[in-house]
C-alpha cells in the first residue's frame, strides 16, 4: 500500500471501491435490505460495501478456507456488528431466524436451497464465477433465481479454468459471449460493461423476474 494523508491505499481497496460504485449505480433505485455475496474471498468487497451501506444485512456464501478468512477480516473491521458463522445450521426456520438476528452471516453453498423466495434484494458474485466449472455456475444461478431479486457479477470475458478438467474434457473454457454462463432466460440484463480495473473483465447486472 501507499499512504496518502495518513490513509493506507492499496489496489485491494481501490478495486473494491470501483466495484461498489458500479453496483450502487446499477441498482440505485432498488431498496436493498439484504445482500448475499457468493465467493467473497478475503472479504474486500463486503468490507467496502458495509462501510457505505452501514445498515444492510450481509450474507456471505463461501467455502473453506476463504470463508474463515473473510469471517476474521470482518470481525476485525466491524467489532460492533453481530457476525454469525452459520455453517452448522441445517434447519430452514433456524437459519432464517439467525440471519435476521445477525448483521453479517456466513453460510455454505448448500444453505442456499433453504432460503425463501425473494429473501434478498441483491446477490453478487465478484471475480469468482470464472473460477468454477459450468455445473457449479448453473447451481448458483438456479438458486438465485428463487431467493434473489437482482444479480450482479464480474468475470473475465474469456478464460480457461484450471484444475477443472476430467477424463471427458481436456479443458474447461468459459466465454461469456459464447453462452458458457447459462443466464436464466427470464432475467433482464440491465448492465453489461467492461470494468475500469481490470479492464478485460465484464461487469454484468440482471433484474430477476418473479
Amino acid at each position: 500500500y501507499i499512504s496518502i494523508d495518513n490513509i493506507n491505499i492499496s489496489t485491494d481497496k481501490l478495486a473494491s471501491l470501483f466495484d461498489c460504485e458500479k453496483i450502487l449505480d446499477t441498482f440505485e433505485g432498488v431498496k436493498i435490505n439484504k445482500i448475499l455475496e457468493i465467493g467473497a474471498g478475503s472479504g474486500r468487497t463486503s468490507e467496502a460495501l458495509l462501510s457505505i451501506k452501514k445498515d444492510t444485512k450481509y450474507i456471505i456464501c463461501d467455502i473453506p478456507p476463504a470463508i474463515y478468512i473473510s469471517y476474521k477480516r470482518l470481525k476485525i473491521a466491524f467489532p460492533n456488528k453481530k457476525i454469525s458463522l452459520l455453517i452448522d445450521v441445517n434447519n430452514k426456520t433456524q437459519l432464517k431466524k439467525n440471519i435476521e438476528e445477525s448483521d453479517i452471516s456466513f453460510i455454505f453453498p448448500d444453505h442456499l436451497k433453504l432460503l425463501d423466495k425473494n429473501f434478498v434484494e441483491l446477490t453478487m458474485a465478484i471475480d469468482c464465477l470464472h473460477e468454477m466449472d459450468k455445473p457449479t455456475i448453473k447451481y448458483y444461478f438456479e438458486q438465485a433465481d428463487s431467493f434473489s431479486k437482482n444479480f450482479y457479477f464480474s468475470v473475465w470475458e474469456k478464460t480457461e479454468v484450471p484444475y477443472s478438467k476430467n477424463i471427458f474434457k481436456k479443458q474447461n473454457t468459459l466465454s461469456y459471449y459464447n453462452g458458457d454462463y447459462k443466464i436464466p432466460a427470464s432475467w433482464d440484463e440491465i448492465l453489461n460493461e467492461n470494468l475500469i480495473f481490470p479492464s478485460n473483465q465484464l461487469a454484468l447486472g440482471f433484474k430477476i423476474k418473479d
Side-chain angles (χ1 to χ4, degrees):
Y1 63 85
I2 60 172
S3 292
I4 301 175
D5 295 332
N6 295 319
I7 297 174
N8 294 336
I9 306 297
S10 65
T11 54
D12 186 67
K13 288 183 178 179
L14 288 174
S16 299
L17 289 173
F18 282 137
D19 285 328
C20 289
E21 182 181 41
K22 189 76 69 177
I23 292 161
L24 296 175
D25 284 351
T26 301
F27 301 99
E28 183 179 9
V30 178
K31 184 177 181 181
I32 298 175
N33 298 310
K34 295 191 196 75
I35 293 174
L36 186 146
E37 184 178 1
I38 296 166
S42 68
R44 66 173 179 84
T45 306
S46 48
E47 181 180 353
L49 263 176
L50 285 168
S51 298
I52 300 168
K53 305 280 287 184
K54 299 180 186 296
D55 296 326
T56 303
K57 287 189 178 293
Y58 210 98
I59 307 161
I60 288 177
C61 174
D62 215 334
I63 59 174
I67 193 169
Y68 301 114
I69 296 171
S70 55
Y71 175 76
K72 183 173 181 180
R73 177 178 185 154
L74 295 181
K75 290 279 282 187
I76 294 170
F78 303 105
N80 297 321
K81 287 187 179 291
K82 183 176 180 180
I83 302 177
S84 301
L85 194 61
L86 306 178
I87 59 176
D88 294 323
V89 179
N90 294 309
N91 177 274
K92 180 175 181 175
T93 303
Q94 188 63 48
L95 182 68
K96 181 179 178 181
K97 181 175 183 291
N98 289 349
I99 290 174
E100 295 291 359
E101 292 176 350
S102 303
D103 299 308
I104 306 172
S105 305
F106 288 81
I107 63 175
F108 278 161
D110 281 350
H111 288 112
L112 298 180
K113 300 174 185 177
L114 303 178
L115 301 182
D116 291 336
K117 185 174 179 63
N118 293 335
F119 187 67
V120 302
E121 287 75 31
L122 176 62
T123 297
M124 307 185 311
I126 296 169
D127 198 18
C128 65
L129 293 180
H130 52 220
E131 299 172 350
M132 304 176 188
D133 59 23
K134 292 172 187 175
T136 303
I137 297 170
K138 182 181 178 184
Y139 170 81
Y140 283 123
F141 285 157
E142 287 177 345
Q143 298 307 313
D145 191 54
S146 173
F147 68 72
S148 188
K149 296 181 180 180
N150 300 278
F151 201 110
Y152 172 90
F153 67 99
S154 60
V155 291
W156 297 108
E157 183 177 332
K158 186 175 182 179
T159 187
E160 182 179 331
V161 186
Y163 311 115
S164 62
K165 303 172 185 177
N166 58 45
I167 59 174
F168 301 108
K169 295 185 69 174
K170 297 262 174 101
Q171 64 179 5
N172 178 22
T173 300
L174 294 173
S175 173
Y176 183 76
Y177 292 118
N178 284 346
D180 291 327
Y181 296 88
K182 302 299 182 183
I183 310 296
S186 61
W187 292 13
D188 284 337
E189 185 181 84
I190 58 176
L191 174 71
N192 186 329
E193 297 177 1
N194 285 92
L195 289 175
I196 296 173
F197 173 80
S199 60
N200 54 347
Q201 273 198 20
L202 297 173
L204 300 141
F206 295 86
K207 178 176 174 54
I208 299 175
K209 294 182 180 179
D210 292 335

